[in-house]
Amino acid sequence: MKLWLILGVVALVLLGLFLSVPFFYRPAGVGEEGVMVRRAALGAKIRGLDPHDIGDTTSAAVGGQIFETLYTYAYLERPYRLLPQLAEDFPEISEDGLTYTIPIRRGVYFADDPAFPGGEGRELTADDFILAWKRMADLNNRSTNYSSIFAGYVEGLDEFRAYTAEVDRVDYDLPVAGLRAPDPHTLEIRLVRPHNFLLYWLAHLPTAPVAREALEKYGEDLVNHPVGTGPFRLVGNYRSNRFSMVRNENFRRELYPDRAAEELAERGLLEDAGREIPFIDRIEWTVIEEAQPLWLAFLAGKIDSSGIPKDNFDQVITTDRELSPAMKARGIRLIKAEDPSIFYYGFNMEDPVVGENRPLRQAMSLAFDRETYIETFLNGRGMVPTGPIPPMIPGFREEKGNPYTRYDLDRARGLLEEAEEIAGGPIPVLRLAMPGTDTTARQMGEYFRIQMSRLGLEIEVDYMTWPKFQDAAKTRSHQIFSLGWLADYPDAQNFLLLFYGPHRSPGPNSSNYSNPEFDALYEEAIALADPEERIPLYHRMEDILIEDCPWIFTTYRVIYALYHDRLQNYYPHDFLYGTMKFQRVRSDLPDSL
């Protein structure tokens, strides 16, 4: 998750909505009876808030305020640093690297909810993690996250997963050898082989704990009744276009971080050091799926931060790529940053037309004009990709060329002839699934259709809501689809796992790609404890993918994020979603400008 599918995080259409930051804020300052209210906007509807199945940035933007994980990332520190959150400390790891003993933080309580006796949330225990991870393993839940996080690692958990397919009712009390709670505040994880990425995953939102009381009360409807330990709790129906969050009164005492860094002090990021968080009392969310209404809401001061729609970019950014004086005069600020993400059109490799015809995929990649695409839809805010490993991730090869990301229609037509020989005749009409029904999604779908028509291919485009698109991906229903991936943690394995055969849908390998040579290299790489030793293997894997073309790589994104200067402690973070607890607004500045 970050992401995992962005799908969040994060379908390609979300670029059109310019969700360059996962959250949008509008401070209402101090409202009724001194309550500080935020109004936030989402560019797509939320698919669900069951933590085990959160796999997109839209759901994570909301879920990250409700749920917490054993570990997290420091808010203000770069390079990124892991630190304990629901864990009291880092794990004690056995000499063979197979047993992790994790102390659970005391004094952490779930938010009040009718699921608990008397409606009062109880203290977190180690069993809440064990229950959550068994639910993720349960095949009936079709989690997109199990295969990349736990599969093949935790002793007995794969066997528990197989058992869930054989019974009508899963017994979550059935013991799993690799998951034990010697006492309520100690969690023991036993592995069958070293897991060099386990701590990263234990900082990933889908590994958040689940209270048994909530599961027993809500059952399958738990997706609509999130109960977490985080700083906020949900009120209302998140599936509507408007819903709210309020402060979790059970949230433990936590302080705003203090980092002695000159550049942070200059930006005012340390003024609240040592103060108790969260600062916000209520968050009001609105779903705004069209770019222009969202943009107008930002200009009116009703949203605190926003990206820049393509049609307004030249009015906001100067020719030297800086914020215009007029926008500065309105108290608006700009942040520019690279983004550890990749956007693409994926092929379903199980489809008999596109999956069994590599020259067809190569031809379509060559026929896609990325430079025009980036200029047309992103105003130049992106780079032509070289492969699946993006900038900011160790192993990125800026100098690496990709013979299939150049626009070369003549070569593409030659490959199409080879493709037709393989197919035994003309290529039939192909189907593209776009994750969105808004204007920008339709413009992007039409661009793809026109690009392929120049090659001589006919494309039908199906525009889907984001939840429907995700459900279709899990059932392998797409033939060609538009998606993106934002890093969950700073290692290239997090991108290469999207092509590992055993991770096929409903796992994160939405292309259902399978290549024995790639899989063998992947398994060899993840067994290496030293990150530097993995990189040469990562490069060999990347070269295989470039030639096989399971994706049409389109963009490495560059973020241009705007925010009103009354928004305090705003600091973009690539791997942390629960950032609202750090932020506040100045009530002495005007609500609209």
Side-chain angles (χ1 to χ4, degrees):
M1 318 232 65
K2 304 207 249 49
L3 201 111
W4 62 99
L5 290 177
I6 57 176
L7 355 174
V9 46
V10 188
L12 186 59
V13 64
L14 294 186
L15 274 176
L17 293 175
F18 295 99
L19 291 178
S20 23
V21 194
F23 317 112
F24 297 89
Y25 313 103
R26 178 239 187 207
V30 178
E32 68 278 9
E33 299 180 357
V35 174
M36 180 177 286
V37 181
R38 290 283 185 88
R39 295 188 176 93
L42 296 166
K45 289 185 180 293
I46 298 171
R47 179 175 175 271
L49 290 177
D50 189 336
H52 88 268
D53 199 30
I54 288 179
D56 63 282
T57 53
T58 305
S59 301
V62 176
Q65 319 309 322
I66 300 171
F67 301 109
E68 299 178 295
T69 49
L70 283 165
Y71 300 97
T72 187
Y73 293 87
Y75 181 49
L76 299 177
E77 297 183 38
R78 306 294 184 274
Y80 293 106
R81 181 173 69 90
L82 280 171
L83 71 167
Q85 184 170 235
L86 295 180
E88 185 66 37
D89 202 347
F90 286 104
E92 177 184 329
I93 304 175
S94 62
E95 189 173 341
D96 61 6
L98 298 181
T99 302
Y100 286 60
T101 304
I102 302 173
I104 304 302
R105 189 171 180 173
R106 297 173 184 270
V108 175
Y109 286 81
F110 285 100
D112 290 347
D113 188 88
F116 299 108
E120 296 183 359
R122 62 157 172 83
E123 188 174 17
L124 173 75
T125 70
D127 283 326
D128 298 315
F129 293 95
I130 295 174
L131 173 64
W133 300 347
K134 287 179 179 178
R135 290 189 67 245
M136 189 190 299
D138 185 349
L139 281 165
N140 299 288
N141 291 328
R142 297 186 65 82
S143 169
T144 61
N145 296 295
Y146 178 78
S147 62
S148 53
I149 298 177
F150 292 126
Y153 283 108
V154 177
E155 183 180 346
L157 194 55
D158 286 350
E159 289 76 9
F160 177 85
R161 182 172 174 82
Y163 146 80
T164 66
E166 300 171 354
V167 296
D168 293 330
R169 183 178 178 84
V170 175
D171 180 7
Y172 289 122
D173 288 324
L174 194 69
V176 171
L179 297 175
R180 294 181 61 251
D183 62 67
H185 292 95
T186 303
L187 174 64
E188 183 181 279
I189 305 172
R190 293 211 306 270
L191 306 175
V192 296
R193 56 178 174 140
H195 194 338
N196 294 312
F197 308 95
L198 182 58
L199 288 188
Y200 284 142
W201 286 121
L202 297 182
H204 189 41
L205 197 58
T207 61
V210 170
R212 180 177 291 272
E213 295 89 335
L215 179 60
E216 291 177 349
K217 180 175 179 60
Y218 300 118
E220 293 183 359
D221 203 37
L222 185 67
V223 66
N224 296 318
H225 297 276
V227 181
T229 61
F232 300 99
R233 60 182 177 86
L234 180 70
V235 292
N237 178 10
Y238 71 85
R239 295 189 184 278
S240 65
N241 287 330
R242 293 179 182 273
F243 61 95
S244 300
M245 284 180 175
V246 296
R247 181 195 295 263
N248 173 13
E249 297 299 338
N250 293 341
F251 191 65
R252 60 197 175 275
R253 187 171 186 269
E254 188 172 322
L255 305 180
Y256 186 86
D258 182 3
R259 288 291 295 165
E262 184 176 349
E263 68 274 14
L264 298 181
E266 289 175 353
R267 292 185 54 188
L269 287 166
L270 300 181
E271 293 177 4
D272 285 317
R275 290 186 58 194
E276 191 166 345
I277 56 175
F279 303 115
I280 308 167
D281 297 295
R282 188 168 79 242
I283 307 165
E284 295 180 352
W285 298 87
T286 304
V287 177
I288 307 177
E289 297 189 82
E290 291 283 351
Q292 283 305 309
L294 194 153
W295 175 246
L296 292 174
F298 172 72
L299 290 181
K302 296 178 181 179
I303 297 171
D304 250 345
S305 68
S306 175
I308 310 170
K310 62 183 179 63
D311 295 335
N312 303 99
F313 188 79
D314 292 339
Q315 304 164 19
V316 176
I317 303 297
T318 64
T319 54
D320 59 354
R321 297 279 165 162
E322 296 299 333
L323 190 64
S324 71
M327 296 296 281
K328 291 179 181 178
R330 298 180 66 161
I332 292 173
R333 301 292 175 254
L334 169 68
I335 292 178
K336 294 185 290 185
E338 290 184 329
D339 192 40
S341 63
I342 177 73
F343 291 83
Y344 61 92
Y345 291 94
F347 296 101
N348 180 358
M349 299 296 286
E350 293 185 353
D351 180 82
V353 178
V354 298
E356 298 177 8
N357 199 324
R358 184 166 70 175
L360 173 62
R361 301 191 301 271
Q362 293 171 338
M364 293 176 70
S365 185
L366 285 163
F368 190 84
D369 185 348
R370 293 159 179 81
E371 291 185 356
T372 300
Y373 173 84
I374 291 170
E375 190 58 40
T376 300
F377 291 101
L378 307 178
N379 310 100
R381 288 170 284 179
M383 298 179 289
V384 174
T386 55
I389 303 174
M392 302 180 67
I393 298 297
F396 168 62
R397 294 183 286 180
E398 184 174 7
E399 75 289 349
K400 171 67 180 176
N402 185 330
Y404 302 106
T405 57
R406 297 194 303 266
Y407 180 59
D408 189 339
L409 199 53
D410 288 338
R411 188 180 175 209
R413 286 170 175 154
L415 283 166
L416 182 59
E417 291 179 3
E418 294 182 31
E420 290 175 337
E421 289 180 9
I422 293 172
I427 303 299
V429 176
L430 301 176
R431 306 182 312 278
L432 168 66
M434 287 294 296
T437 60
D438 62 288
T439 301
T440 306
R442 294 181 183 279
Q443 291 173 346
M444 290 180 168
E446 181 64 8
Y447 182 89
F448 185 89
R449 188 193 67 78
I450 291 172
Q451 294 285 291
M452 296 306 118
S453 70
R454 291 173 179 167
L455 176 59
L457 296 173
E458 185 177 351
I459 305 292
E460 290 182 354
V461 187
D462 186 6
Y463 300 96
M464 302 179 175
T465 65
W466 181 228
K468 180 181 177 182
F469 179 92
Q470 288 182 283
D471 288 340
K474 290 177 71 171
T475 57
R476 310 182 188 183
S477 301
H478 299 322
Q479 185 179 43
I480 308 170
F481 55 92
S482 172
L483 267 181
W485 185 269
L486 180 62
D488 298 312
Y489 48 84
D491 192 287
Q493 180 262 355
N494 186 233
F495 290 85
L496 296 169
L497 66 81
L498 302 175
F499 304 95
Y500 181 51
H503 289 171
R504 289 188 294 273
S505 295
N509 179 357
S510 298
S511 290
N512 304 304
Y513 176 76
S514 181
N515 181 312
E517 182 183 4
F518 178 93
D519 289 351
L521 287 169
Y522 178 87
E523 291 166 4
E524 183 181 352
I526 65 173
L528 297 173
D530 186 345
E532 292 298 321
E533 292 183 9
R534 299 178 202 140
I535 289 177
L537 296 176
Y538 288 164
H539 289 166
R540 289 170 59 188
M541 295 156 65
E542 190 173 43
D543 290 341
I544 292 171
L545 295 171
I546 288 171
E547 194 63 29
D548 272 355
C549 278
W551 290 359
I552 298 175
F553 304 107
T554 63
T555 317
Y556 293 144
R557 184 173 61 172
V558 177
I559 289 175
Y560 280 64
L562 301 179
Y563 65 100
H564 291 282
D565 59 5
R566 62 175 175 254
L567 176 62
Q568 304 292 292
N569 304 335
Y570 177 72
Y571 199 50
H573 199 293
D574 290 312
F575 305 111
L576 182 62
Y577 282 91
T579 58
M580 279 189 171
K581 67 181 180 181
F582 299 112
Q583 299 169 2
R584 64 177 175 85
V585 295
R586 290 179 57 184
S587 59
D588 60 329
L589 292 179
D591 228 18
S592 60
L593 300 171

